[in-house]
């Protein structure tokens, strides 16, 4: 008989899926569409506007470890509820910012609030609701949230056709306040109710799969792998169209780039259906291999349109799978106790690395050309593969058959 502990909390996943779409759509994906008008109103260049975003991401990353501790201490539901209120206030402050300093301060508040309501906190909430099935729950959630850009790019564009960027941000603030905050408050209450209802069932926590002696080196390798993948992802996502154009694809660059989002969703769906028999470390390794492999395909085949299409699909598959294992691998290796704190530590390093990626790739493309820049990114992606292989090597003595004593 299947107990409630063995079933993913579907209502919570669907509710979180909606708030993740809104969270990523309003706090992240909308920025690139509104940025040109922001730059014009503030009398800044586009480079300075995106530089301000990078600085905000970096500062938000520095706050992530503290937020992770809060998630463990107070519960992810309460933190996400507060995060929705902060996000609404930050968007409002950005809309009414009288000058550059106030705008940057509000942007920092937006990116700090993002850490309280996006994947890191949402994954922790699913772990706290039902740890035993959290890996499946995270997969389902990322499948839903993968449509955030597909939904919010056209919504933002349509709103901005008729409204100023300030008014668009005010609408987004209202959505965070009136939709996301009540959902997060309900989920916070649900965690308490589930714990009361299931207190007589089997233990709720997930045990670590690693012995204490190798947890520290394994954690360092995992963070290194995730950070390098985030660097490659962030660099290519911001510059995908310029990169493809620089390789001679011209007008086809936009069409090729459009394949990336659907490929992300496809990888999550494929993992949901067929990935149940694979360990999370194996999935992390597959994800890490796909990113540099996609770059090699692009470098070798450029300016072939078919090669560029293959790149977009393979890169999207790797990126989509990566967003899952960033939540499930720490749970599988280190268990559910202290999950929020560990996620905060990982998120901080990832954001600090990825926030510099667009600038570094732009600098390299200007000085050494597109092909050599992609080659450097492919090498960094290969180092990420080596990091996950390193974790496998650490675990090998744990799975190696032990010799029988006295020949028995």
């Amino acid at each position: 008989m299947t107990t409630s502990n063995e079933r993913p909390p579907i209502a919570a996943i669907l509710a979180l899926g909606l708030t993740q779409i809104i969270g990523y759509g309003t706090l992240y994906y909308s920025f690139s569409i509104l940025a040109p008008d922001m730059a014009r109103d503030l009398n800044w260049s586009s480079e300075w506007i995106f530089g301000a975003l990078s600085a905000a991401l970096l500062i938000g990353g520095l706050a992530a470890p503290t937020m992770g501790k809060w998630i463990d201490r107070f519960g992810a539901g309460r933190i996400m509820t507060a995060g929705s209120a902060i996000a609404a206030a930050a968007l409002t402050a950005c809309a009414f910012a009288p000058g550059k300093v106030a705008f940057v301060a509000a942007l920092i508040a937006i990116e700090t609030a993002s850490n309280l309501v996006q994947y890191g906190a949402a994954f922790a909430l699913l772990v706290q609701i039902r740890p035993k099935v959290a890996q499946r729950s995270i997969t389902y959630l990322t499948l839903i949230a993968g449509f955030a850009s597909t939904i919010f790019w056209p919504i933002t564009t349509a709103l901005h056709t008729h409204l100023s960027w300030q008014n668009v941000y005010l609408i987004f603030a209202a959505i965070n306040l009136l939709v996301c905050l009540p959902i997060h408050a309900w989920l916070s209450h649900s965690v308490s109710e589930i714990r009361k209802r299931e207190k007589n069932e089997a233990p709720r926590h997930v045990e670590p799969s690693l012995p204490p002696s190798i947890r520290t080196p394994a954690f360092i390798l995992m963070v290194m792998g995730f950070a390098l993948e985030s660097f490659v992802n962030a660099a290519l996502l911001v510059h995908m169209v310029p990169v493809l154009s620089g390789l001679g694809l011209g007008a086809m660059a936009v069409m090729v780039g459009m394949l990336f989002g659907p490929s992300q969703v496809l990888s999550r769906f494929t993992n949901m259906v067929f990935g149940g028999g694979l360990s999370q470390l194996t999935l992390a390794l597959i994800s890490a291999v796909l990113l540099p492999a996609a770059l090699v395909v692009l470098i070798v085949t450029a300016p072939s349109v078919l090669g560029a299409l293959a790149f977009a699909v393979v890169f999207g598959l790797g990126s989509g799978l990566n967003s899952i294992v960033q939540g499930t691998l720490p749970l599988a290796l280190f268990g559910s106790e202290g999950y929020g704190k560990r996620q905060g530590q990982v998120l901080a390093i990832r954001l600090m690395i990825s926030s510099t990626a667009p600038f570094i790739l732009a600098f390299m493309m200007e000085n050494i050309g597109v092909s050599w820049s992609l080659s450097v990114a492919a090498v960094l992606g290969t180092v990420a593969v080596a990091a996950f292989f390193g974790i496998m090597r650490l675990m090998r003595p744990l799975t190696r058959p032990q010799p029988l004593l006295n020949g028995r």
Side-chain angles (χ1 to χ4, degrees), residues 1-6 129-132 194-195 197-207:
M1 181 177 175
T2 302
T3 68
S4 59
N5 262 347
E6 297 169 347
I129 289 176
R130 203 160 289 163
K132 295 290 186 181
I194 288 172
R195 285 180 174 174
R197 190 167 62 247
E198 297 177 352
K199 63 181 179 181
N200 296 322
E201 296 186 10
R204 293 176 46 82
H205 60 278
V206 175
E207 294 290 342

Side-chain angles (χ1 to χ4, degrees), residues 22 25-27 30 34 87-88 91 152 155-156 159 167-177:
I22 293 171
T26 61
L27 303 176
S30 64
L34 303 176
L91 287 165
F152 263 87
I155 286 177
T156 307
L159 287 173
N167 286 331
V168 173
Y169 260 14
L170 290 175
I171 290 173
F172 288 168
I175 294 173
N176 277 274
L177 192 64

Side-chain angles (χ1 to χ4, degrees), residues 245-271:
S245 298
L247 291 172
L249 286 153
M252 296 297 294
V254 175
M255 186 194 77
V256 171
M258 288 176 63
L259 283 175
F260 175 78
S263 298
Q264 277 191 310
V265 174
L266 175 63
S267 72
R268 294 164 184 170
F269 180 77
T270 303
N271 177 59

Side-chain angles (χ1 to χ4, degrees), residues 332-378:
L333 295 182
F334 305 103
S336 57
E337 294 298 314
Y339 179 85
K341 178 182 176 181
R342 275 190 299 275
Q343 283 295 85
Q345 292 168 338
V346 173
L347 181 62
I349 296 172
R350 278 181 42 229
L351 285 176
M352 284 188 280
I353 297 295
S354 63
S355 65
T356 65
F359 171 77
I360 291 175
L361 184 62
F363 179 82
M364 287 195 299
M365 288 193 296
E366 183 70 25
N367 289 276
I368 63 175
V370 174
S371 293
W372 279 108
S373 300
L374 293 179
S375 299
V376 172

